[in-house]
Amino acid sequence: MVENNHAVDESGEFQRSRSHFADRITADGSSGWPVEPGRYRLIVSRACPWAHRMLIVRKLLGLEDVISLGVADPIQDELSWRFTLDPGDIDPVLKIAYLGDAYRAREPEYDGGVSVPAIVDIPSGKLVTNDYLQMTLDLSTQWTAYHREGAPDLYPEGMRDEIDAVIEPIFKEFNNGVYRAGFATSQEKYEAAYRDVFGRLDALEERLSTRRFLMGDAITEADIRLFTTLVRFDAVYHGHFKCNRNKLTEMPVLWAYARDLYQTPGFGETVDFDHIKRHYYVVHSDINPTGIVPVGPDASGWSTPHGRESLTN
């Protein structure tokens, strides 16, 4: 079974592939791709948690007018991400019907998976990068000349080692753990992933009981990476991926923390529960063969008071 360019191995364990195109866009241009306003187009699916990170960071840093945005249909076909939300089913800037066209413009013989987020060079139509682990960090560190006045420092230089240490187990056990549970084809691999997911959530519940955000009083890259999985948890991962020990709404600290972020400008307005649910429940036909998309859960709770302000020093 394949999820974009990711697969399940012979043991029944989900394996997430490394990004094939890992170029960087840098302030000094030494990478061959210089920071240049208006040159690049960010392609996302609002359903994808990895792409969602880019939406949040782009918004928080005020880069909306610097890096343009294309949004793919949440429902993929056999050619993967498509631009059927746009007039004529064509991206209005790149003039392509499928994101895969930009991949092949970069590497004509490429026959691997097509993933989001992706950054495309508008003049050439070539894919620059689909390295979801690096892309948000580069928005924070390489595009500083174009950050809005008062933009947050999401990856402070003096805290990067500590942030990386917090991010690593969150990625392995939670961000990717829910996929390892959902796509496992053996009971053993599913249960191992299930234990990882809830072991990490329990540790985060404890950590966040005494601090407003993961690193203290300020939002950082670590919070963004955690949020995009939390916001999908009850809608998708709890049922669809069988991560059902409890819901996010049943973990008091994490639920309040997630609402705090959701109500912060740059977060809630980038969440699209319709796209999220339609993608997972329709595209993953081996998990949900009927293709029925759940009506719930009720999203109104995301706007209720969170009471986390008292944790700020």
Side-chain angles (χ1 to χ4, degrees), residues 210-213 216-218 260 308-313:
T210 57
R211 61 183 79 195
R212 187 168 181 181
F213 304 112
D217 292 343
D260 189 1
R308 299 273 299 170
E309 300 90 346
S310 61
L311 292 174
T312 302
N313 292 330

Side-chain angles (χ1 to χ4, degrees), residues 57 193 196 198 221:
V57 173
D196 281 349
F198 287 102
E221 174 79 18

Side-chain angles (χ1 to χ4, degrees), residues 46 51-62 64 148 152 154 219 224 227-228 231 260-272:
R46 297 189 187 278
H52 191 183
R53 298 172 178 180
M54 286 290 284
L55 287 174
I56 293 171
V57 173
R58 175 176 173 268
K59 185 82 171 178
L60 291 177
L61 300 179
E64 299 101 314
R148 65 173 174 83
L154 299 173
I219 292 169
I224 295 164
F227 173 79
T228 58
V231 79
D260 189 1
L261 290 174
Y262 183 88
Q263 294 167 32
T264 299
F267 284 81
E269 67 261 41
T270 62
V271 176
D272 191 322

Side-chain angles (χ1 to χ4, degrees), residues 39-226:
R39 176 171 175 176
Y40 304 101
R41 187 157 175 83
L42 169 64
I43 304 299
V44 303
S45 163
R46 297 189 187 278
C48 172
W50 324 104
H52 191 183
R53 298 172 178 180
M54 286 290 284
L55 287 174
I56 293 171
V57 173
R58 175 176 173 268
K59 185 82 171 178
L60 291 177
L61 300 179
L63 294 172
E64 299 101 314
D65 294 333
V66 178
I67 303 172
S68 71
L69 178 68
V71 179
D73 193 305
I75 309 301
Q76 298 156 281
D77 66 13
E78 66 278 2
L79 296 177
S80 196
W81 300 107
R82 52 191 183 155
F83 296 110
T84 49
L85 302 179
D86 295 302
D89 299 345
I90 299 291
D91 179 88
V93 173
L94 300 175
K95 308 301 182 183
I96 56 177
Y98 289 88
L99 177 57
D101 294 340
Y103 278 61
R104 287 180 289 276
R106 168 71 182 275
E107 190 175 300
E109 303 304 316
Y110 180 72
D111 62 357
V114 176
S115 64
V116 288
I119 293 180
V120 179
D121 177 48
I122 296 171
S124 68
K126 295 179 179 179
L127 180 76
V128 176
T129 179
N130 67 346
D131 189 352
Y132 64 95
L133 292 175
Q134 185 63 40
M135 289 164 69
T136 50
L137 302 181
D138 283 345
L139 289 189
S140 289
T141 62
Q142 302 300 311
W143 291 81
T144 53
Y146 301 100
H147 289 181
R148 65 173 174 83
E149 185 177 354
D153 187 351
L154 299 173
Y155 198 49
E157 188 168 1
M159 298 178 66
R160 290 177 189 174
D161 288 346
E162 186 181 357
I163 290 173
D164 291 347
V166 170
I167 285 172
E168 193 276 332
I170 289 175
F171 171 78
K172 178 181 177 181
E173 298 171 359
F174 185 52
N175 299 144
N176 198 46
V178 293
Y179 284 84
R180 289 168 45 225
F183 290 125
T185 57
S186 81
Q187 189 71 29
E188 178 186 7
K189 297 301 183 183
Y190 158 71
E191 290 185 11
Y194 176 100
R195 289 191 295 271
D196 281 349
V197 167
F198 287 102
R200 183 49 44 193
L201 286 177
D202 288 341
L204 291 167
E205 181 90 347
E206 181 177 355
R207 181 184 181 94
L208 289 163
S209 66
T210 57
R211 61 183 79 195
R212 187 168 181 181
F213 304 112
L214 284 170
M215 309 309 298
D217 292 343
I219 292 169
T220 66
E221 174 79 18
D223 298 291
I224 295 164
R225 296 194 182 201
L226 176 56

